[in-house]
C-alpha cells in the first residue's frame, strides 16, 4: 500500500503508517479474545456434553477459518496499479500545466492523448477524467485515494478496518469477509444464547460466566452492524455499482450520468465479481472477471469509448468479449431502458 509522502520516510511517515494499523489490531484483538471465550470458557469448561462440545467446535472452527482467511485476503491483497499507458508524457503534462487558465485547452490535450485508451467515463462537465497527482488518465471506475496516495482500480472506498482500499482486486474478498464475519457472529450468538440465559438465571458459576456474557453481547453488536453492511454490498454486487458510484453515478460520453451504465444483468453482475465457476464463489481466492481496466457496459454506451477495444480476448463463454458485452434484452434490461430518462440523475459539484 502506498502512503502519501512515502518517498521521505521520516518519523511522521512511520507514525502515520503505525496509526493506520490500530483499527486492524482492534479487530484482531476482539477476534482473539472471542476465540478464547468460545473455545475455552464456553465449549471446554461450560458445555458438559462431549458430543455437543465436538459439534460446537467443528462448526465454530469452520466459520473462524473462513472468516480469518477472507480477512487476511482483504487486508494483504495488493490494490493493483494503473498501467503505464495511462500516464501522460512529461511534455503533454507541461503543456497541460502551462494552460491552467484554459479548461478547453487542457481538455483538448487530454482528449488527444486519451483517444487511444479504452475509456467510457467522463467528468460531470464532459471532460476527460485526469488525476493531477498521479499524472494519469483515470481508467473507468478508477479514483484517487488520498490515504493510499495512488489511483485505485474500481475503487469502492478506503476501509480503515482493513487498512486498505476496497477495490477491483479485493472486492470479492471484502464481501466474503463481511458474509463470514456475519455468519461467525450469528453462530456464536445462537450457540451461546442458552448459556447466556443460564447466566441471568444464576445457574452459571465462576469467572468464566462473564466471558460468556460479553461474548454474547459482542457477537450481537457486531452482527447487527454487519447485517446492514453485508446486505448493502450484496445489493451493490447485484447492481454492479461501487459505493462511490451509488452516491454519484458515473458519467458516459454522449449520455451523461447513468447509474445503470455498468449493469449487464444481475447474474452477470455477480459473475463479474465472483467469477463463472460456482465451486469458487465462496472461497476467498481471486476469480473476478476482467483486468480492472475495462468493463462491460450497457449497449447504449458501446460507441462512447475512444476505440472499439476489438483486441480484448476475455470472454464469459458465450462468444461475447468481456469489455464489449452488451446486456441482453431480458425483462430487467427492458425495464431499465424504459425508465432510463426518468431515473438518470445529474450531479453537480
Amino acid at each position: 500500500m502506498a502512503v502519501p509522502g512515502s518517498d521521505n520516510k521520516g518519523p511522521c511517515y512511520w507514525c502515520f503508517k503505525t496509526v493506520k494499523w490500530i483499527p486492524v489490531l482492534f479487530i484482531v484483538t476482539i477476534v482473539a479474545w472471542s476465540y478464547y471465550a468460545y473455545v475455552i470458557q464456553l465449549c471446554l469448561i461450560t458445555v458438559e456434553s462431549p458430543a455437543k462440545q465436538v459439534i460446537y467446535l467443528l462448526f465454530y472452527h469452520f466459520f473462524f477459518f473462513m472468516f480469518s482467511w477472507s480477512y487476511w485476503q482483504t487486508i494483504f491483497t495488493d490494490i493493483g496499479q494503473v498501467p503505464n499507458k495511462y500516464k501522460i508524457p512529461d511534455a503533454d503534462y507541461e503543456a497541460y500545466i502551462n494552460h491552467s487558465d484554459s479548461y478547453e485547452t487542457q481538455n483538448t490535450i487530454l482528449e488527444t492523448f486519451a483517444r487511444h485508451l479504452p475509456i467510457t467515463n467522463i467528468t460531470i462537465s464532459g471532460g476527460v477524467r485526469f488525476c493531477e497527482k498521479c499524472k494519469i488518465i483515470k481508467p473507468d471506475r478508477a479514483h484517487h485515494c488520498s490515504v493510499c496516495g495512488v489511483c485505485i482500480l474500481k475503487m469502492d472506498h478506503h476501509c480503515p478496518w482493513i487498512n486498505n482500499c476496497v477495490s477491483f482486486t479485493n472486492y470479492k474478498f471484502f464481501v466474503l469477509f463481511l458474509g463470514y464475519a456475519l455468519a461467525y457472529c450469528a453462530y456464536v450468538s445462537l450457540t451461546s444464547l442458552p448459556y447466556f440465559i443460564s447466566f441471568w438465571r444464576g445457574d452459571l458459576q465462576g469467572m468464566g460466566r462473564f466471558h460468556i456474557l460479553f461474548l454474547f453481547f459482542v457477537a450481537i453488536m457486531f452482527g447487527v452492524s454487519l447485517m446492514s453492511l453485508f446486505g448493502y454490498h450484496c445489493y451493490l454486487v447485484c447492481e454492479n455499482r461501487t459505493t462511490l458510484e451509488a452516491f454519484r453515478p458515473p458519467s458516459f460520453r454522449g449520455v451523461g450520468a447513468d447509474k445503470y451504465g455498468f449493469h449487464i444483468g444481475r447474474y452477470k453482475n455477480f459473475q463479474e465479481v465472483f467469477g463463472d465457476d460456482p465451486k469458487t464463489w465462496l472461497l476467498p481466492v481471486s476469480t473476478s472477471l476482467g483486468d480492472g481496466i475495462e468493463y462491460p457496459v450497457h449497449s447504449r454506451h458501446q460507441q462512447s469509448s475512444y476505440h472499439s477495444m476489438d483486441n480484448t480476448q476475455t470472454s464469459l463463454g458465450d462468444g461475447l468479449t468481456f469489455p464489449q458485452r452488451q446486456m441482453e434484452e431480458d425483462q430487467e434490461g427492458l425495464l431499465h431502458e424504459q425508465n432510463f430518462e426518468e431515473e438518470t440523475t445529474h450531479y453537480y459539484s
Side-chain angles (χ1 to χ4, degrees):
M1 282 170 286
V3 178
S6 59
D7 294 336
N8 182 21
K9 297 183 179 181
C12 291
Y13 165 79
W14 293 111
C15 181
F16 180 74
K17 189 173 183 178
T18 302
V19 168
K20 291 199 304 177
W21 283 103
I22 291 179
V24 176
L25 294 176
F26 173 77
I27 294 296
V28 171
T29 301
I30 293 296
V31 173
W33 166 80
S34 71
Y35 185 90
Y36 166 79
Y38 191 90
V39 174
I40 304 299
Q41 294 295 336
L42 179 63
C43 291
L44 300 183
I45 296 179
T46 305
V47 177
E48 298 178 351
S49 170
K52 185 179 290 188
Q53 286 179 336
V54 172
I55 294 174
Y56 276 17
L57 289 173
L58 282 177
F59 282 99
Y60 173 82
H61 281 93
F62 169 77
F63 290 120
F64 179 81
F65 174 76
M66 296 305 296
F67 160 74
S68 300
W69 186 10
S70 302
Y71 192 41
W72 176 277
Q73 289 284 71
T74 307
I75 294 174
F76 294 106
T77 297
D78 189 79
I79 54 179
Q81 186 175 3
V82 177
N84 289 330
K85 68 178 182 179
Y86 287 83
K87 185 177 179 64
I88 68 172
D90 292 338
D92 290 345
Y93 182 72
E94 288 294 331
Y96 175 86
I97 295 297
N98 292 335
H99 292 86
S100 58
D101 58 339
S102 175
Y103 171 79
E104 291 76 12
T105 304
Q106 284 187 325
N107 193 60
T108 300
I109 295 172
L110 299 179
E111 289 268 5
T112 302
F113 177 76
R115 68 181 183 274
H116 299 300
L117 299 176
I119 58 177
T120 61
N121 290 165
I122 57 176
T123 63
I124 299 176
S125 58
V128 178
R129 299 171 66 242
F130 177 66
C131 178
E132 294 188 357
K133 294 181 179 179
C134 298
K135 301 179 183 179
I136 64 169
I137 304 294
K138 293 181 182 179
D140 288 350
R141 315 184 81 172
H143 297 274
H144 185 88
C145 176
S146 59
V147 179
C148 294
V150 294
C151 284
I152 308 298
L153 300 176
K154 193 184 177 184
M155 180 177 175
D156 187 271
H157 69 286
H158 185 91
C159 180
W161 301 108
I162 65 172
N163 189 27
N164 202 356
C165 264
V166 178
S167 62
F168 169 79
T169 58
N170 66 352
Y171 187 60
K172 175 190 176 182
F173 307 147
F174 179 73
V175 176
L176 288 178
F177 156 63
L178 295 179
Y180 283 122
L182 177 60
Y184 178 82
C185 291
Y187 179 78
V188 169
S189 60
L190 288 175
T191 53
S192 62
L193 177 61
Y195 305 93
F196 170 76
I197 295 175
S198 297
F199 171 85
W200 285 109
R201 290 176 176 175
D203 297 334
L204 288 182
Q205 303 298 323
M207 294 300 296
R209 68 186 189 276
F210 293 106
H211 283 283
I212 297 175
L213 172 67
F214 289 115
L215 179 68
F216 178 79
F217 276 122
V218 170
I220 290 293
M221 179 182 66
F222 278 95
V224 171
S225 301
L226 287 166
M227 188 180 302
S228 58
L229 187 59
F230 177 65
Y232 178 65
H233 278 279
C234 287
Y235 165 77
L236 292 180
V237 169
C238 292
E239 294 295 304
N240 204 341
R241 298 179 204 162
T242 64
T243 299
L244 294 178
E245 291 167 352
F247 284 97
R248 175 176 292 177
S251 295
F252 294 82
R253 185 173 300 277
V255 177
D258 180 10
K259 63 182 180 180
Y260 295 118
F262 294 107
H263 195 300
I264 54 176
R266 286 190 169 86
Y267 181 64
K268 292 177 182 177
N269 292 341
F270 176 86
Q271 284 184 311
E272 188 173 312
V273 176
F274 286 86
D276 51 11
D277 185 0
K279 295 189 296 295
T280 61
W281 284 349
L282 299 181
L283 297 178
V285 294
S286 182
T287 56
S288 299
L289 301 180
D291 56 6
I293 304 296
E294 304 175 48
Y295 298 90
V297 294
H298 192 281
S299 58
R300 59 176 164 264
H301 303 304
Q302 287 298 307
Q303 303 303 320
S304 64
S305 62
Y306 287 101
H307 67 87
S308 63
M309 297 177 274
D310 290 334
N311 296 325
T312 303
Q313 300 298 320
T314 308
S315 172
L316 288 182
D318 56 5
L320 295 177
T321 55
F322 184 72
Q324 291 180 296
R325 176 175 303 278
Q326 296 185 7
M327 184 168 67
E328 297 175 356
E329 293 185 344
D330 51 12
Q331 182 179 9
E332 178 186 41
L334 290 174
L335 289 173
H336 286 166
E337 187 74 17
Q338 292 168 0
N339 296 326
F340 171 71
E341 292 297 333
E342 62 185 40
E343 291 186 309
T344 299
T345 305
H346 293 274
Y347 288 75
Y348 298 90
S349 62

